Amino acid sequence: MTPHYELPRDEADYSFGFLDEYAKKEVRRAILKAVAIPGYQTPYASREMPMGRGFGTGGLQLTLALVGPDDTLKVIDQGSDDSVNAVNLREFVQLTCPGVTLTERTEEATLIQSRHRIPEKPLRADQLLVLQVPYPDPLVVVEPSETKRKIMHGEADYARLLVKLYEDIVKFDEITISHRYPTRINGHYVIDPSPIPRWDVPRLHQSPALILLGAGREKKIYAVPPYTDAMPLAFEDQPFRVEDFRDAAGNRRACTRCGATDSFLDEFIDQSGGKVYQCSDSAYCAERLVERAEAAA
Ligand SMILES: [Zn+2]
């Protein structure tokens, strides 16, 4: 008899998607409520997952409750399909959801789970984006009591959040929030859109794809339903703006790999100590490189 060290699926005895059917049902009910009340932080019984909270367990539970054998899944972390967090989550889904196809191409995916980025390619109505959330409540910086925060959310009372933004302007001449930018959904609830850069915030607005946000440790699920308003908090004379990738001469910086001037760039220090810029969305960058090579051939 040959020794067999692979985890045999039949002996692992997980139900499809690791979570039991009751857990999946509960997550789906929370999703329905979250979609029905855009931006509302719906509580749910976040399950223990075989990984530490803070590693995307909230997003993973959403994905596992939604994914089916016919789905094509893409998992990204900070724009990259190859980072440790993304690879581990992808392998876990592969192990527990037999039949699910995995992809790195945004346009092929039916379900995208992401940490800290929205893919550069515009999403479609037949796609679903799951964002991993560390801190779901934008009011936590101005109010420590959850009971009081709930009342403030219910009354759409975000005055103290606006004061915080105003203080930024007084101190620094601009709003300094680089990520987790407070965003008002459907004219009422303000959400923490997870640590996506400001660059990605406008893409929440009127998105054809359903966007679900899951916080495992904080046990909250909330949603930006398709074609729903998502407006970053700002002032009339201090409008919201995205990151500015212009150099000292005012020219838009380009990705050093693919030459893109329309993507969110990550800054690196090269061996000579100089700054280089590359697309944060690695799949987008790789596709552009292939297109360029094909055009040159
Ligand atoms: Zn690039």
Side-chain angles (χ1 to χ4, degrees), residues 17-37:
F18 184 78
L19 297 169
D20 62 71
E21 292 307 313
Y22 293 104
K24 280 191 260 188
K25 205 177 200 176
E26 199 247 335
V27 173
R28 288 173 192 148
R29 286 170 80 125
I31 292 170
L32 288 175
K33 180 164 179 179
V35 171
I37 317 172

Side-chain angles (χ1 to χ4, degrees), residues 163-220:
V163 169
K164 183 107 182 60
L165 300 185
Y166 174 73
E167 282 172 351
D168 259 14
I169 295 166
V170 171
K171 265 191 232 165
F172 309 107
D173 275 338
E174 62 172 334
I175 296 169
T176 56
I177 302 169
S178 61
H179 56 284
R180 296 177 55 202
Y181 197 99
T183 305
R184 192 188 290 269
I185 306 304
N186 199 30
H188 187 106
Y189 291 105
V190 171
I191 64 163
D192 181 324
S194 86
I196 53 174
R198 286 191 311 224
W199 181 266
D200 287 342
V201 172
R203 280 186 289 159
L204 298 170
H205 181 63
Q206 292 290 328
S207 160
L210 168 62
I211 300 168
L212 294 170
L213 301 101
R217 186 184 47 212
E218 307 287 331
K219 303 181 167 69
K220 295 282 170 31

Side-chain angles (χ1 to χ4, degrees), residues 245 247 252-282 284-286 288-290 292:
F245 291 106
D247 59 18
R252 173 54 151 92
R253 288 194 169 94
C255 166
T256 48
R257 283 182 76 214
C258 74
T261 53
D262 59 354
S263 64
F264 183 79
L265 299 173
D266 283 338
E267 188 181 296
F268 299 95
I269 306 292
D270 66 6
Q271 281 156 340
S272 61
K275 285 178 185 169
V276 285
Y277 295 87
Q278 265 180 28
C279 295
S280 138
D281 185 334
S282 58
Y284 179 75
C285 196
R288 277 182 50 91
L289 279 178
V290 171
R292 234 169 47 163

Side-chain angles (χ1 to χ4, degrees), residues 1 11 15 31 58 61 77 111 116 127 130 174 185 188 192 200 222 231-232 239 241 256 259 264 277 285:
M1 202 177 128
E11 286 178 33
S15 57
I31 292 170
Q61 288 175 73
D77 175 15
L111 187 63
H116 295 197
Q127 293 177 308
V130 169
E174 62 172 334
I185 306 304
H188 187 106
D192 181 324
D200 287 342
Y222 49 106
M231 306 303 281
R241 58 178 184 80
T256 48
F264 183 79
Y277 295 87
C285 196

